[in-house]
Amino acid sequence: MASSGTMIDSNAVAVILCAGKGSRMKSNCPKVLNTILGRTMIYQIIDVLKKSGFKRYIVVCNPENIDLIRGNLNEFDNIDFVIQKKQIGTADAANSAINETIYQDISSVFIFLGDTPLLTKNDIHSLSSKLEETDILIASFDTVSPYGYGRVIHDQNNSILKIVEEADADDDQRKIKICFSGIMVFKNIDDTILLTEIKNDNKKKEYYYTDVIKIASESGRTVRNIIMEYDHLKGVNTYEQLSEAEIVLQKRIAQYHMEKGVKISLPETSHISPDIKIGKNVTIEANVHIGKNVKIGDGVTIKSFSYIEGVEIKEHVIIGPFARIRSNSIIGKDSKVGNFVEIKNSNLSEGVKVGHLSYLGDAGIGKSTNIGAGTITCNFDGEKKYQTKIGQNVFIGSNSSLVAPLNIEDETYVASGSVVNKDVPAGALAISRVKQENKIGWAKKMKKKK
Ligand code: UD1
Ligand code: MG
């Protein structure tokens, strides 16, 4: 049974080739584990494949990168990780997938490259819907800068004859602007046998899976080429290309949210993680970094230069400018987190104001409490972290050090400049600072001495 319509056949497999050395990246990190908008390239690809309806994936790794790649993808089920022993080319990598996989009764085989992270669900559905008409389907793009890509060669009747790699192309072939994306689909797994016929008689002495196109067309199989957008199929071989891919993805995410009514000023200056959840009437000013696990409620404003991750921000909160919020935090409705405030693993209830220059770590803050400028929760004694609990309607005076573990009960005051290391009972004022003494006439005497 082959795929039909836009549905992905449940017996189809998505093979993702990730075993290459990635030498053009000049990095110690496996190429496919480089991140765009906080997600690795391979994670991004599997996420899209899963959303497109794939049920089975084969990720081809090398002996050195397999553990790291497996670790990065542990939240996905049904991934079969196989090893390509030697990195002798993409044809050998594809063959390793077919030969080593645990999957049986495979219908169609969709081959993707681990360095092509901009694919969308729609692209995959277009592939799937075209598959009925052909034995082998490839996806290509038309670009003014084809350098480095395999070129797709047609005859006068528009039949695809072969793909020629950059290194092996002659001057005329290099002028061709239709480039192979790396995506190739075999309607029937039996046709992948053609991959075993590939030789390495080329400049780089590698086994190129692109050579299968010539073998297939000569053996009478139908090969079709579907042209898709360059911005969806760009490959990432260098850090420059990685940043280009990140720009494309960022633009897409910002556009999606702007269409849903989020006001994002200068979206090209901000980083917004793909997993963000945003309510209505939200404003995101320029130069904001929103990392993973962020949920933003209705009517929130995130002001410039704020760096936030791992936080749920409830309705009508104002964050920043220059605020930093770290993982496991909740900012209650109508609260305000202002300039140079850092918050970590803390829960702020409704209407809390923490306006300036503070650090709240491992803290719980009650409703309508005001945290004065320069308040610091001293949550770490060098070995362990401790909690600070502050009740509702509390007023913490500026420049106070709250030494945890500490419980400051409801309706209390802490005098500014205090170092508080004992619990404060409800309704009390805690004051802990050296009493001021004024030495009358001291200044005049001092000057006379000189
Ligand atoms: C490849 C295509 C090229 C296409 C381009 C699109 C071949 C021969 N060329 O070139 O036609 O235009 O992608 O981006 O395929 N890999 C393995 N094992 C290997 C070698 C590579 O698993 O032995 C994996 C890599 O990890 C990578 C992918 O295959 O994810 C592609 O390899 P890469 O070296 O990046 O190929 P390109 O030169 O970009
Ligand atoms: Mg590549």
Side-chain angles (χ1 to χ4, degrees), residues 379-393:
N379 59 333
F380 188 47
D381 65 1
E383 276 179 31
K384 276 191 179 164
K385 299 272 168 70
Y386 299 93
Q387 301 282 326
T388 302
K389 194 168 173 286
I390 303 178
Q392 55 186 33
N393 287 314

PDB file of all heavy atoms in Angstrom, residues 379-393:
ATOM      1  N   ASN A 379      19.276  33.065  48.645  1.00  0.00           N
ATOM      2  CA  ASN A 379      18.671  31.729  48.646  1.00  0.00           C
ATOM      3  C   ASN A 379      19.696  30.608  48.705  1.00  0.00           C
ATOM      4  O   ASN A 379      19.332  29.451  48.773  1.00  0.00           O
ATOM      5  CB  ASN A 379      17.798  31.543  47.397  1.00  0.00           C
ATOM      6  CG  ASN A 379      18.575  31.717  46.104  1.00  0.00           C
ATOM      7  OD1 ASN A 379      19.572  32.425  46.069  1.00  0.00           O
ATOM      8  ND2 ASN A 379      18.119  31.057  45.065  1.00  0.00           N
ATOM      9  N   PHE A 380      20.974  30.927  48.707  1.00  0.00           N
ATOM     10  CA  PHE A 380      22.008  29.894  48.564  1.00  0.00           C
ATOM     11  C   PHE A 380      23.077  30.097  49.621  1.00  0.00           C
ATOM     12  O   PHE A 380      23.591  31.212  49.791  1.00  0.00           O
ATOM     13  CB  PHE A 380      22.608  30.035  47.152  1.00  0.00           C
ATOM     14  CG  PHE A 380      23.559  28.948  46.758  1.00  0.00           C
ATOM     15  CD1 PHE A 380      23.240  27.605  46.954  1.00  0.00           C
ATOM     16  CD2 PHE A 380      24.787  29.266  46.178  1.00  0.00           C
ATOM     17  CE1 PHE A 380      24.131  26.606  46.573  1.00  0.00           C
ATOM     18  CE2 PHE A 380      25.669  28.269  45.787  1.00  0.00           C
ATOM     19  CZ  PHE A 380      25.343  26.939  45.992  1.00  0.00           C
ATOM     20  N   ASP A 381      23.384  29.026  50.360  1.00  0.00           N
ATOM     21  CA  ASP A 381      24.421  29.163  51.393  1.00  0.00           C
ATOM     22  C   ASP A 381      25.747  28.555  50.958  1.00  0.00           C
ATOM     23  O   ASP A 381      26.626  28.286  51.757  1.00  0.00           O
ATOM     24  CB  ASP A 381      23.953  28.533  52.710  1.00  0.00           C
ATOM     25  CG  ASP A 381      23.763  27.028  52.601  1.00  0.00           C
ATOM     26  OD1 ASP A 381      24.007  26.462  51.511  1.00  0.00           O
ATOM     27  OD2 ASP A 381      23.387  26.405  53.610  1.00  0.00           O
ATOM     28  N   GLY A 382      25.877  28.319  49.681  1.00  0.00           N
ATOM     29  CA  GLY A 382      27.103  27.710  49.175  1.00  0.00           C
ATOM     30  C   GLY A 382      26.944  26.222  48.943  1.00  0.00           C
ATOM     31  O   GLY A 382      27.706  25.611  48.199  1.00  0.00           O
ATOM     32  N   GLU A 383      25.922  25.638  49.602  1.00  0.00           N
ATOM     33  CA  GLU A 383      25.675  24.206  49.406  1.00  0.00           C
ATOM     34  C   GLU A 383      24.257  23.929  48.939  1.00  0.00           C
ATOM     35  O   GLU A 383      24.023  23.197  48.001  1.00  0.00           O
ATOM     36  CB  GLU A 383      25.926  23.455  50.712  1.00  0.00           C
ATOM     37  CG  GLU A 383      27.390  23.117  50.891  1.00  0.00           C
ATOM     38  CD  GLU A 383      27.664  22.407  52.185  1.00  0.00           C
ATOM     39  OE1 GLU A 383      26.772  21.671  52.669  1.00  0.00           O
ATOM     40  OE2 GLU A 383      28.774  22.611  52.725  1.00  0.00           O
ATOM     41  N   LYS A 384      23.296  24.551  49.640  1.00  0.00           N
ATOM     42  CA  LYS A 384      21.889  24.261  49.340  1.00  0.00           C
ATOM     43  C   LYS A 384      21.126  25.527  49.005  1.00  0.00           C
ATOM     44  O   LYS A 384      21.526  26.617  49.418  1.00  0.00           O
ATOM     45  CB  LYS A 384      21.244  23.635  50.578  1.00  0.00           C
ATOM     46  CG  LYS A 384      21.451  22.149  50.704  1.00  0.00           C
ATOM     47  CD  LYS A 384      20.539  21.660  51.808  1.00  0.00           C
ATOM     48  CE  LYS A 384      20.618  20.180  52.023  1.00  0.00           C
ATOM     49  NZ  LYS A 384      20.023  19.813  53.318  1.00  0.00           N
ATOM     50  N   LYS A 385      19.991  25.318  48.316  1.00  0.00           N
ATOM     51  CA  LYS A 385      19.099  26.438  48.020  1.00  0.00           C
ATOM     52  C   LYS A 385      17.942  26.410  49.026  1.00  0.00           C
ATOM     53  O   LYS A 385      17.484  25.334  49.412  1.00  0.00           O
ATOM     54  CB  LYS A 385      18.520  26.273  46.606  1.00  0.00           C
ATOM     55  CG  LYS A 385      19.578  26.271  45.502  1.00  0.00           C
ATOM     56  CD  LYS A 385      19.853  27.682  45.033  1.00  0.00           C
ATOM     57  CE  LYS A 385      21.076  27.789  44.171  1.00  0.00           C
ATOM     58  NZ  LYS A 385      20.940  27.191  42.860  1.00  0.00           N
ATOM     59  N   TYR A 386      17.471  27.571  49.456  1.00  0.00           N
ATOM     60  CA  TYR A 386      16.371  27.646  50.417  1.00  0.00           C
ATOM     61  C   TYR A 386      15.254  28.558  49.906  1.00  0.00           C
ATOM     62  O   TYR A 386      15.483  29.446  49.099  1.00  0.00           O
ATOM     63  CB  TYR A 386      16.892  28.178  51.755  1.00  0.00           C
ATOM     64  CG  TYR A 386      17.953  27.294  52.368  1.00  0.00           C
ATOM     65  CD1 TYR A 386      19.300  27.546  52.134  1.00  0.00           C
ATOM     66  CD2 TYR A 386      17.605  26.199  53.156  1.00  0.00           C
ATOM     67  CE1 TYR A 386      20.286  26.731  52.665  1.00  0.00           C
ATOM     68  CE2 TYR A 386      18.581  25.378  53.692  1.00  0.00           C
ATOM     69  CZ  TYR A 386      19.927  25.645  53.449  1.00  0.00           C
ATOM     70  OH  TYR A 386      20.880  24.830  53.973  1.00  0.00           O
ATOM     71  N   GLN A 387      14.070  28.336  50.445  1.00  0.00           N
ATOM     72  CA  GLN A 387      12.869  29.057  50.008  1.00  0.00           C
ATOM     73  C   GLN A 387      12.638  30.338  50.803  1.00  0.00           C
ATOM     74  O   GLN A 387      12.894  30.378  52.006  1.00  0.00           O
ATOM     75  CB  GLN A 387      11.624  28.171  50.238  1.00  0.00           C
ATOM     76  CG  GLN A 387      11.637  26.843  49.518  1.00  0.00           C
ATOM     77  CD  GLN A 387      11.285  26.997  48.047  1.00  0.00           C
ATOM     78  OE1 GLN A 387      10.488  27.853  47.693  1.00  0.00           O
ATOM     79  NE2 GLN A 387      11.902  26.179  47.210  1.00  0.00           N
ATOM     80  N   THR A 388      12.090  31.321  50.137  1.00  0.00           N
ATOM     81  CA  THR A 388      11.624  32.537  50.817  1.00  0.00           C
ATOM     82  C   THR A 388      10.125  32.649  50.577  1.00  0.00           C
ATOM     83  O   THR A 388       9.688  32.603  49.427  1.00  0.00           O
ATOM     84  CB  THR A 388      12.306  33.789  50.225  1.00  0.00           C
ATOM     85  OG1 THR A 388      13.710  33.640  50.364  1.00  0.00           O
ATOM     86  CG2 THR A 388      11.845  35.058  50.925  1.00  0.00           C
ATOM     87  N   LYS A 389       9.385  32.766  51.670  1.00  0.00           N
ATOM     88  CA  LYS A 389       7.937  32.888  51.500  1.00  0.00           C
ATOM     89  C   LYS A 389       7.524  34.273  51.984  1.00  0.00           C
ATOM     90  O   LYS A 389       7.848  34.656  53.118  1.00  0.00           O
ATOM     91  CB  LYS A 389       7.252  31.778  52.319  1.00  0.00           C
ATOM     92  CG  LYS A 389       5.817  31.587  51.980  1.00  0.00           C
ATOM     93  CD  LYS A 389       5.246  30.311  52.590  1.00  0.00           C
ATOM     94  CE  LYS A 389       3.742  30.243  52.373  1.00  0.00           C
ATOM     95  NZ  LYS A 389       2.992  31.171  53.249  1.00  0.00           N
ATOM     96  N   ILE A 390       6.853  34.982  51.134  1.00  0.00           N
ATOM     97  CA  ILE A 390       6.389  36.328  51.493  1.00  0.00           C
ATOM     98  C   ILE A 390       4.875  36.365  51.294  1.00  0.00           C
ATOM     99  O   ILE A 390       4.380  35.940  50.250  1.00  0.00           O
ATOM    100  CB  ILE A 390       7.086  37.400  50.607  1.00  0.00           C
ATOM    101  CG1 ILE A 390       8.613  37.287  50.735  1.00  0.00           C
ATOM    102  CG2 ILE A 390       6.608  38.803  50.970  1.00  0.00           C
ATOM    103  CD1 ILE A 390       9.404  38.255  49.859  1.00  0.00           C
ATOM    104  N   GLY A 391       4.159  36.843  52.306  1.00  0.00           N
ATOM    105  CA  GLY A 391       2.696  36.803  52.266  1.00  0.00           C
ATOM    106  C   GLY A 391       2.101  37.893  51.393  1.00  0.00           C
ATOM    107  O   GLY A 391       2.794  38.522  50.588  1.00  0.00           O
ATOM    108  N   GLN A 392       0.788  38.135  51.621  1.00  0.00           N
ATOM    109  CA  GLN A 392       0.132  39.153  50.799  1.00  0.00           C
ATOM    110  C   GLN A 392       0.154  40.527  51.455  1.00  0.00           C
ATOM    111  O   GLN A 392       0.321  40.636  52.664  1.00  0.00           O
ATOM    112  CB  GLN A 392      -1.280  38.717  50.431  1.00  0.00           C
ATOM    113  CG  GLN A 392      -2.160  38.368  51.584  1.00  0.00           C
ATOM    114  CD  GLN A 392      -3.483  37.814  51.087  1.00  0.00           C
ATOM    115  OE1 GLN A 392      -3.545  37.151  50.051  1.00  0.00           O
ATOM    116  NE2 GLN A 392      -4.534  38.084  51.828  1.00  0.00           N
ATOM    117  N   ASN A 393       0.018  41.559  50.616  1.00  0.00           N
ATOM    118  CA  ASN A 393       0.054  42.952  51.089  1.00  0.00           C
ATOM    119  C   ASN A 393       1.276  43.263  51.943  1.00  0.00           C
ATOM    120  O   ASN A 393       1.187  43.976  52.937  1.00  0.00           O
ATOM    121  CB  ASN A 393      -1.209  43.272  51.902  1.00  0.00           C
ATOM    122  CG  ASN A 393      -2.403  43.387  50.998  1.00  0.00           C
ATOM    123  OD1 ASN A 393      -2.334  44.039  49.952  1.00  0.00           O
ATOM    124  ND2 ASN A 393      -3.480  42.732  51.371  1.00  0.00           N
TER     125      ASN A 393
END
